[in-house]
Amino acid sequence: MAADIKTIKKIADLAAIFIEENELEAYAAQLDTIINYMEELKNLDIGDTKPMEHILQMNNVFREDKVTGQNMRNELIKNANIAKDGYFKVPAVVDLL
Amino acid sequence: MDYDIIIGLEIHVELKTSSKIFCGCSNEFGGEPNTRCCPICLGMPGTLPVLNKKVLEYTIKAGLAMQCKIAKFSKFDRKNYFYPDMSKAYQVSQYDLPICYDGYVDIDVGDKTKRIGIERIHIEEDAGKLIHDSNGQESLIDYNRCGVPLIEIVTRPDLRSPEEAKILLETIKSILEYTEVSDCKMQEGSLRADVNLSLKRKGSKSLGVRTEMKNINSLRAVQRAAQAEAERQAGILGSGCEVYQETRRWDDNKGESFIMRGKEEAMDYRFFPEPDLPPVCVDEKFLKAIQASIPQLPRQRRERYVNDLGIPRYDADLITSNKHLADVFERASEVCGNPKLVSNWIMTDIMRRINEKGEEILNSHINGDNLGWILSSMERGEITHASAIQVIDVLIETGEEPGNIIERLGLKVQRDEALVVKAVKEVINKNPQALSDYLSGKEKAVGFLMGKSMAALKGRGDPIQVREILKKELQSYL
Ligand SMILES: [Zn+2]
């Protein structure tokens, strides 16, 4: 199996998603199917098709270096659950760096 | 047991653009919390980032100045992590196709030159700042720095001592200042380094386990952190234990580092291509224009000063350590045509003033044009050495045009022969003791009378002319 229960647990953990113990097996099976499907691609003759590095078929979209933003703190803070003195407030976190 | 120290650096540099990397928010340092951010830098749903063209230019400029190859095709990737300094839960960075790669920087270690490889330079965005409440209950977040353009410079593990690490960082800092892509204010965090270090038993082929120390923000701290880490690892290996692969935090006040996370907790960032930002393709024309904008870098300038202008190496080192100073030196040398004179003045008079008043005097009042003008007036004998110093004093104080200062204070050298002869005669008459000393063969008396004569001319006599006239007058008594 390409994806087992352990893999599902790890992915769920990384994505910060909670999965019930009894759902793990079903997810593992589904993910396994997907990965195996990708494996099939390996058997295809793709000739000299170039690898696709990016899904967008365009490039070089830029903006000029101009300051157009202005203070919109009140509007931004409005969306937060808790704020204090103009800061967003969250439960204590340890430094990650 | 003997070990070789193997060090590589990862250097984060904030670019000095006006606006942020993907939105029009101001990139200025500071500001009231959360007043310089918008839905784009906070990653609100439905927003679309657009790359600031200047960020691309500056990154390529830095890369070219470090002899990098520039990728013809480059893209952005998301580095996923959950931490409130980034409200999007990912940082836009570059994973497998960085914009610059395979370069090098030459550093001077003692009297040797050493080449340090630059593995890559990529673009990314900075994160916000967390303030931890003292009671440990809550954390406050300021997203003003979120979306500030950064480049990360990754060196090859070519450094062999803590001193070399410091010299490399110093050298890269000055390259970034010369190319004007960053102000490199380490105290504001616009230049910070991670130190990767391992020990290798001398003569052995296999590398040791390496540790990483994060976010060191002074040149001195880089050297100290590397030194302490090398000693820590040597202690562990010396007692027969093994070094663990881990991320550590350097505490410069305590002079030691602490473990942040081990290998097991190593981050798994699950990079994937950023779907909101199209790739970047760089063509020759764009590259050439950027190449043309790169000024001569400190090492090349220093060599030119030493070899072509005859400036002592020590002086050339000091002058080129600061781009403003080097620019002032070059322009002043052009204006007055005597680089050695300019360098002497910079090393003494100007350096003293910079130490007293700060570097800002170079940008405000003193520049290459007026310094060169003052020194050439002195060389032509229009003002004395003492007057030149006085003019610079007033210039720094008021910014007044040097020609005006000379006029207003009457500093022009007095060359009217009749006037000088009259003054000298009076001095001799008023000092009969000195005259009789002279007549009895005491040469010292000439110096005394010379001083009196210059004073009588209010310091504005031409010393050569005054001395000549004084000697002639004295000889007439013989
Ligand atoms: Zn913004």
Side-chain angles (χ1 to χ4, degrees), chain B residues 82-93:
Chain B
F82 291 110
Y83 193 67
D85 66 351
M86 226 18 148
S87 55
K88 302 187 281 202
Y90 60 85
Q91 176 192 31
V92 176
S93 180

Side-chain angles (χ1 to χ4, degrees), chain B residues 20 23 25 37-38 41:
Chain B
K20 288 188 180 179
C23 63
C25 291
C37 41
C38 72
C41 44

Side-chain angles (χ1 to χ4, degrees), chain B residues 2-4 6 198-208:
Chain B
D2 256 357
Y3 301 99
D4 286 323
I6 315 288
S198 67
L199 296 183
K200 187 168 79 77
R201 191 164 291 171
K202 271 204 193 317
S204 159
K205 283 229 170 77
S206 55
L207 290 169

